[in-house]
Amino acid sequence: MLNYIVKSLPKMAPLLMFLALIQGSQLSAQELVTASGKVTGKDDGMSIPGVSVKVKGATTATSTDPDGKFSFKVPTGAILVFSSLGYGSTERPAAAGMNIVLVATTSELQEVTVVGATIKKGDLTGSVSSVGEKVIKEMPVTNINQAIQGRVAGVLVQSNDPRPGGAVSIKVRGNNSIQYGSNPIYVVDGLVIEEALNTINPDDISSIDILKDASATAIYGSRGANGVVLITTKRAKNGDGKIEYNGWYGVQSFNKNIPYLNAQQIADLRIDAYANKYMDDNPTADRQTYINSLLGTNSVAFSQDELGVYRSGQSYNWLDEITRTAIQQNHTATFSKGGPDGAVYVSFNYTDQMGLLKTSNYKRYGGQINLDQKIKPWLKIGTNTNFSRTEESYIDGGVFGIAANANPLLPINDQITYLSWKGIQSTDLYNPIRSLNIDGKGNLNRLLTNNYVVATLIPGLNVRSSIALDVRNQNYYNYIPKSLGQSLRNSTNGSATQKKESWVNWQWDNSISYDKTIGKNSFSGILSFGLSQNNYNYNQVNASGFATDDFSYKYLGGAYLKDQFQLSSDFVTNSLISYVARFNYSYDNKYFATLTGRYDGSSKFGNGNKWGLFPSLSLAWNVANEDFFKNIKAINVLKIRAGYGIAGNQKIDDFAYRSLYRPVFTNGSVTYVSDGRLGNPNLVWEKQKQLNLGLDIAILNNRLTFNADYFLIHNNDLLMRRTLSTTSGFNNTIANVGSLLNQGFDFNINGVILNGKDLKWNMGANISAYKSKITKLYGNVDAIYNYGGFTGVEIQREGNFFLNQPLNSIYTYKFEKIAQQSDMVRVQGIDYGGRTIRPGDIVPVDVNGDKKIDDADRIVVGKKDPKFYGGFFTDVTYKNLTLNAVFNYSYGGKAISGLYEGLLNGTGEYSGHEDELNRWTPANTESNIPRAYTGSGRYSVGETDYAVQNSSYLRMSALTLAYNFTQDFMKKAKLSNLRVYVTGRNLLTVTKYKGYDPEGGDGYPTSKMFVFGINIGL
């Protein structure tokens, strides 16, 4: 038969050509149209990348880009099939400008791994906020907290350490503990971690879910009192293998510096200060004659070198000598492929952050492996494993502050050991240029791995067991050369430190979960048992006396001052046992209920107090799904939520319930010495009762969504370290000291303003507020004071606790005014405790009117917490070009800026602020800046609330301009996606704060950065 067909082909050729011509004319006659549009998810309205768009009955197909968009040529009348892993497929007639909404299924894309179990995100019925992959990748950041700043209601993110690799703090609904455990916990693919978050690569994160109320966090019981941040890393999607690269390169510089006085201005200020003091002591003397003497050869105010600089008009900036423009770069390559029986996701990351101070640096190397594999139709195993290594080059902590506040009358010199004012060297002012020679290094190796096996015994019934490890090894090394001031001052002849720390934390979880739908009724439940143990140990060696600096910290055996060797080490272990039960019920997608109970036993409490029970209940009603509501087409979602629960806190020092002693060998015998802490066997769990009322609304086909929550949190048995009288033989103890009430609201709104074919505009905003109040302290005590200062018994402005006052209050004298000549009669009748008030000086308020200023006149002058805070964003897309801006803000908080207060000292013997150019003088009496003065006897700037700062601010966190290349271009280039962008970070900050930064504080200025980046997919 085959031979016959082959022999007949030449004879059939004309017929075949004729048929081909007919078919070709039919194809050319069949008109092609462009099908285009965007695919989003029904639950969150977010765009879905990688959706398969196929012509039904044909091989023609494409997929959506990172923004969920698609565009390709199809025959007229074609039916398009849309499908994606984790979503139900749908069919629609082809058209231009299509809006496709896919409904999520119960696949892994809609699941989140909590302790011991994987549950649907929809079962988190409490107050939960989420940030998706699209939002995370909009900002080029190296820390996960930076990615959510300003995006989530009720979550205050602050960059309080802007140094390379520095930490970013996060608070969920304010402060709900006095001293211990005030930060949320982080759960990475089911593994609970609490520190070193900068080891996690944001490029590996698929979603971040923040659990804010007890009904959401109760599954974490003892750990969820201050919120839970659930991090889910990326998994492969079904389909062809994918290779992606995300890289960016940034140029960084200081965002703001202090307007310091230059050399001439400092000299004029010093002259004024000395002259004012002299005239106070010698009222009948000639002021100008005295000033002339200050500028002469026997000056008591200046060295001759300083006067030479003053007369020459020069000024020196020491900070410029130790700073630089810094480069940052980040590179991530990912490889993924998924199928019906398994999926693999692998990534590699490299991050390099140069510090703005010379010789400082931070690097991170990391990799992520996520594997899921079906062994049998009913059995699946998997792993989520991450390894990272960070390397840091440290700088002596005082380098920046010394250089920033250095004497502008002192010429730059990298040979002098100490800096000087008035020609007098201060051994506290190490030469910052020479301090760059300190050899400080550190590294951290970290392994995060969660490995599981899950068996589906019958449909809906899953048995899961997982073992997770968090293994960290951190090393710190430091060497101070012999010739530096730090070594000379302490006579160490070179000093070296080696510190090695190790953490091995393991977590074993086992659970049974069941999911069943019967008619309109849906049930799900989890029973879980878990064990976790945290092990920490360290050893440290300090050595002094080195014959040479050549070996740095690497050869401690070369140190010859053996009597100055210092050795220290410790081993600490704590553990937790947990039982969890959780039940979810919903009826007809209208009524929802979640009941959770967790029972925890902690080794941090003594016998009889180890166990705590943490229950919660949440209810929800989706009114929009009621029959009587279906005629109101404009409202798609109207859900009312209510939840109540108890969460716990046990984040205290280990063995706090016992008094600890350590052996000391002296005079041939061993004695046991207390570490100073009195054990408290009566310690109990800190328990937090939370009520949450919420409302979710979506209107106009989900184009406008609102979420609002009110919360009331009452925290009992607050855990705090108390100071004890030394007559007791101890100086402190940890105790349950009282109760705290915290209440507030979160509000979030998102809207699609324009949704045209070429022009789209999305906006969103959130605002949050909380107000805390201490409702009880131990016994009949109405105040707990924080003592310190030079004498150790002075009441500090911060860290005090007062009954019926906010937690983070500022306590000091109230500023009344800058004294004028007309006030002299009045102030002479008041006892200022040995202080003398003259025109131009600060006058405190006599609060109780007893004509005496003492501790009874100190009051709470403000609170550090903001009145409200939040953020907002806007996305404008025209064709393939997108402009995105993200802002965050805080309003109404107060802060103490020790930096600014020090610069207003008014002596001219230290650095000064430009505000002092408008200081009070007899010719400028309307000024609110105190007069210049050297010496004691008057109230300083920091002794009242005169310079307490308004810490409100509005910041543009990021401004990004991005271009997504067209589908036609990517097809030709054989790419799945290509995006290039430029981002400016921290370009604008509007604030009245006089220090470096109202968010980051005064230790180090916040930086701005311009970033150029690219995302490529194959």
Side-chain angles (χ1 to χ4, degrees), residues 57-271:
T59 59
T60 306
T62 188
S63 61
T64 58
D65 66 13
D67 293 323
K69 299 176 183 178
F70 66 93
S71 178
F72 69 133
K73 300 288 187 181
V74 301
T76 301
I79 301 298
L80 302 185
V81 180
F82 298 84
S83 60
S84 180
L85 179 66
Y87 297 90
S89 62
T90 187
E91 298 181 5
R92 294 278 295 278
M98 302 173 71
N99 288 315
I100 306 299
V101 178
L102 296 185
V103 178
T105 64
T106 57
S107 72
E108 293 177 358
L109 290 184
Q110 289 301 308
E111 294 175 340
V112 60
T113 303
V114 296
V115 227
T118 299
I119 65 176
K120 297 183 209 175
K121 291 185 180 181
D123 288 343
L124 297 171
T125 53
S127 181
V128 182
S129 295
S130 300
V131 177
E133 179 182 346
K134 181 177 181 294
V135 172
I136 295 171
K137 71 191 304 183
E138 283 178 355
M139 290 184 65
V141 296
T142 58
N143 186 292
I144 56 175
N145 285 341
Q146 294 172 333
I148 63 176
Q149 188 173 35
R151 290 284 196 171
V152 181
V155 178
L156 180 61
V157 179
Q158 293 181 307
S159 178
N160 51 9
D161 186 1
R163 293 174 176 82
V168 178
S169 72
I170 178 172
K171 289 185 179 180
V172 177
R173 291 182 167 178
N175 299 282
N176 293 303
S177 296
I178 276 188
Q179 194 173 71
Y180 291 103
S182 59
N183 296 322
I185 62 168
Y186 294 76
V187 183
V188 182
D189 293 324
L191 173 59
V192 177
I193 67 173
E194 297 182 23
E195 296 178 345
L197 299 173
N198 56 1
T199 62
I200 300 173
N201 177 20
D203 290 335
D204 286 330
I205 297 175
S206 173
S207 66
I208 300 175
D209 300 280
I210 297 96
L211 315 186
K212 296 183 288 188
D213 74 331
S215 63
T217 65
I219 198 167
Y220 295 94
S222 64
R223 299 176 171 189
N226 289 284
V228 177
V229 180
L230 292 177
I231 298 171
T232 303
T233 57
K234 293 178 180 178
R235 290 193 172 39
K237 299 178 175 64
N238 280 347
D240 295 334
K242 192 169 187 179
I243 302 173
E244 289 187 294
Y245 167 76
N246 176 33
W248 53 261
Y249 182 93
V251 181
Q252 189 179 40
S253 60
F254 284 130
N255 199 25
K256 172 188 177 183
N257 207 346
I258 300 298
Y260 287 99
L261 297 180
N262 61 32
Q264 281 65 46
Q265 293 165 338
I266 277 287
D268 292 340
L269 177 65
R270 194 184 305 179
I271 291 168

Side-chain angles (χ1 to χ4, degrees), residues 509-534:
D509 295 303
N510 305 274
S511 68
I512 299 175
S513 62
Y514 185 67
D515 192 342
K516 182 70 173 178
T517 299
I518 303 175
K520 296 181 179 182
N521 301 277
S522 295
F523 307 86
S524 66
I526 297 173
L527 293 176
S528 175
F529 165 72
L531 297 173
S532 65
Q533 187 178 88
N534 302 312

Side-chain angles (χ1 to χ4, degrees), residues 168 281 296 323 473 564 699 840 980 983 1006:
V168 178
D281 297 338
T323 58
N473 291 288
Q564 293 189 22
I699 63 175
V980 294
T983 297
T1006 300

Side-chain angles (χ1 to χ4, degrees), residues 412-427:
I412 306 296
N413 187 338
D414 62 359
Q415 299 301 311
I416 58 177
T417 304
Y418 305 105
L419 304 191
S420 63
W421 288 82
K422 299 193 302 180
I424 303 171
Q425 287 190 341
S426 169
T427 56

